[in-house]
Amino acid sequence: MLVLSRKKNESIVINDDITIVVVEIRGDKVRLGIEAPKEVPVHRNEVYEAIRRAGVESPDSPAPAPAEGAES
């Protein structure tokens, strides 16, 4: 895990197309702004886990590849 320190209004860039900006720091909470392409799903971890448990795919997610040996 890469651990970085950032101040308010400083940012982190991931893979040239995702930017995370520290919007606000208040007490023990940090507000982050995330700029990412529409096709990149961005969720809070608890929402991601709920989606994963439910087996629900994002409408923008690519269809899963067929299992090996399965007919199309």
Side-chain angles (χ1 to χ4, degrees):
M1 175 187 302
L2 174 63
V3 178
L4 302 170
S5 297
R6 300 279 70 201
K7 295 179 182 176
K8 184 178 177 181
N9 296 321
E10 291 184 334
S11 61
I12 298 165
V13 177
I14 300 171
N15 200 32
D16 294 329
D17 59 355
I18 300 172
T19 302
I20 301 171
V21 180
V22 178
V23 175
E24 181 180 26
I25 303 168
R26 188 184 301 173
D28 65 345
K29 291 191 178 184
V30 176
R31 293 186 70 208
L32 302 173
I34 302 167
E35 297 175 13
K38 286 184 178 185
E39 64 271 9
V40 175
V42 177
H43 302 288
R44 295 182 321 227
N45 187 58
E46 60 273 20
V47 172
Y48 171 78
E49 290 297 331
I51 292 168
R52 201 182 68 148
R53 279 192 306 273
V56 176
E57 288 290 324
S58 165
D60 296 329
S61 295
E68 190 174 318
E71 293 184 28
S72 322

